Amino acid sequence: MIPRYSREPMARIWTEEHKFATWLKVELAAMEAMAQHGIIPEEVPARARAGAVCDVEAILEIEKKTHHDVAAFVDQIAGCLGEDGRYFHFGLTSSDVLDTAFGLRLRDSADLLLAAVDELLTVLKHQAYAYRDQVMVGRTHGVHAEPITLGLKFALWYAEFQRHRTRLEQARKVVAVGKLSGAVGTFAHLPPEVEATACAILGLEPASISTQVLQRDRHAEFFVSLALVGTGVEKIALEIRHLQRTEVREAEERFAAGQKGSSAMPHKRNPILSENLCGLARLLRSNALAAQENVALWHERDISHSSVERLIAPDSTILLDFMLGRLTRMLKNLQVYPENMTKNLHLTHGLIFSQGLLLALIKKGLSRDAAYRLVQRPAMQVWEEGGEFAQRVQADPEIGKHLSSDELASIFDLKRYFRHIPAIFARVFGE
């Protein structure tokens, strides 16, 4: 069962309270590491853990004077620790704390997104099997092509979101990194062993090399991965929008009791959820571009990336979490109209069987061009004059020279198109 969606767990990661709590977590891990390596007294970390209290209002008040958030944070926490306060932030620079804490928050965001993708995958798999044999017409260029099933669409989306999940796992690994290498990355005041120990305490990997900051190609990869997942959401939503069109109406979003589709037209049932998702995907892509712009910084560091990340990190993670939840619920409650799928399947009066006829004639010894032209003639008659393709083919003396009535009947049998669906599902779902 899919739980009721809430943005709160993701949003909580990006609150001021959680930000300062994460900074404190990094600082305390650094103190523990320094104690383990004999740099500060071994009893200090325990006293610091007991005495350190983040007072957000006090930090913000101090920041009015310092105009520096990390300095204000350090002043407030150090003030809680008495004599031990001199060891707080010892040997560190602001970005040691900021970037390591950022790695923690991005890692935790990725975990929530992975859980949301898993919920979506569960629904996609269920719907794939539920509609495995629901026949509908496949479309290329927006034009009827050959028969498929609705279950194949869901299986396709399932396979794609498995790839998106892999991308998210990789992105999580790339950003779950910390650094305590100092002002220009040389470990001038703390040895690399402190960084390694502190990162181990935090469950992060230490960067093999850094400047004052972790290099922003890591974060660019993360936000590009989020944008790709968002594009996958958009892809599905766009398909639902098409299927809900009045001329198609093979599937549509659930229309709740009391819902109104238009302030002016009482008959309207619009794909508002899908349209919303298509629009939101654009924001994720724009944020991914901003993250890529952050990669090139002056020398060992500037802060042009900082203002960007303060916006795109909460925006993109909360937004994608919302999009995945909305899409999951929408697909779970999707209204499907098999009768319209059957009606639309026959709109072209059997033209969807043209390739099967073409190949059968080729097997009889005709050249591809000769067979193509032979099939195209009755097909164009159906387009221009109407009638059933099968009847026109049966009445065509040239085609009758090569194919018997039984052979033609077999060509126009829908079952031929679905004999390999079990094999496709086995490839996708491994069953």
Side-chain angles (χ1 to χ4, degrees), residues 198-210:
C199 285
I201 292 170
L202 295 167
L204 300 175
E205 287 293 320
S208 60
I209 184 172
S210 57

Side-chain angles (χ1 to χ4, degrees), residues 2-7 119-120 123 127 253-254 273 276-277 321-335:
I2 297 171
R4 182 177 177 84
Y5 176 75
S6 171
R7 285 180 292 169
E119 292 175 5
L120 176 59
V123 170
Q127 298 291 58
E253 299 172 7
R254 180 183 180 186
L273 302 180
N276 169 261
L277 293 173
D321 195 33
F322 170 81
M323 290 171 68
L324 289 166
R326 168 159 283 187
L327 180 64
T328 298
R329 295 192 308 278
M330 187 179 78
L331 293 178
K332 182 183 179 184
N333 297 312
L334 189 69
Q335 303 296 301

Side-chain angles (χ1 to χ4, degrees), residues 174-221:
V174 167
V175 295
V177 170
K179 60 87 61 182
L180 300 177
S181 58
V184 290
T186 59
F187 296 98
H189 306 292
L190 291 174
E193 292 78 16
V194 168
E195 178 187 80
T197 300
C199 285
I201 292 170
L202 295 167
L204 300 175
E205 287 293 320
S208 60
I209 184 172
S210 57
T211 58
Q212 190 175 99
V213 294
L214 291 169
Q215 301 310 286
R216 259 45 198 179
D217 64 285
R218 295 179 179 277
H219 308 85
E221 181 175 346

Side-chain angles (χ1 to χ4, degrees), residues 79-216:
C80 299
L81 303 182
E83 288 296 317
D84 289 339
R86 64 176 182 261
Y87 299 118
F88 190 78
H89 201 65
F90 185 84
L92 302 180
T93 190
S94 295
S95 288
D96 288 331
V97 179
L98 292 172
D99 279 10
T100 304
F102 196 34
L104 288 171
R105 294 204 283 172
L106 290 179
R107 180 198 66 187
D108 294 347
S109 298
D111 287 340
L112 291 176
L113 291 173
L114 286 165
V117 169
D118 286 341
E119 292 175 5
L120 176 59
L121 286 169
T122 297
V123 170
L124 290 173
K125 181 176 181 179
H126 176 271
Q127 298 291 58
Y129 278 98
Y131 296 108
R132 191 187 75 160
D133 301 318
Q134 176 54 58
V135 179
M136 65 187 298
V137 71
R139 298 170 173 91
T140 58
H141 304 275
V143 177
H144 288 201
E146 289 188 338
I148 62 169
T149 72
L150 181 57
L152 285 173
K153 285 186 183 288
F154 280 103
L156 181 81
W157 297 335
Y158 179 92
E160 180 168 341
F161 267 86
Q162 280 189 312
R163 295 193 295 276
H164 287 313
R165 194 187 195 288
T166 300
R167 292 185 184 102
L168 276 178
E169 287 179 327
Q170 171 62 17
R172 179 194 187 281
K173 180 179 179 181
V174 167
V175 295
V177 170
K179 60 87 61 182
L180 300 177
S181 58
V184 290
T186 59
F187 296 98
H189 306 292
L190 291 174
E193 292 78 16
V194 168
E195 178 187 80
T197 300
C199 285
I201 292 170
L202 295 167
L204 300 175
E205 287 293 320
S208 60
I209 184 172
S210 57
T211 58
Q212 190 175 99
V213 294
L214 291 169
Q215 301 310 286
R216 259 45 198 179

Side-chain angles (χ1 to χ4, degrees), residues 303-323:
I303 62 166
S304 59
H305 65 288
S306 176
S307 56
V308 176
E309 289 169 355
R310 289 170 191 249
L311 292 175
I312 67 173
D315 280 4
S316 289
T317 53
I318 294 171
L319 185 58
L320 182 56
D321 195 33
F322 170 81
M323 290 171 68

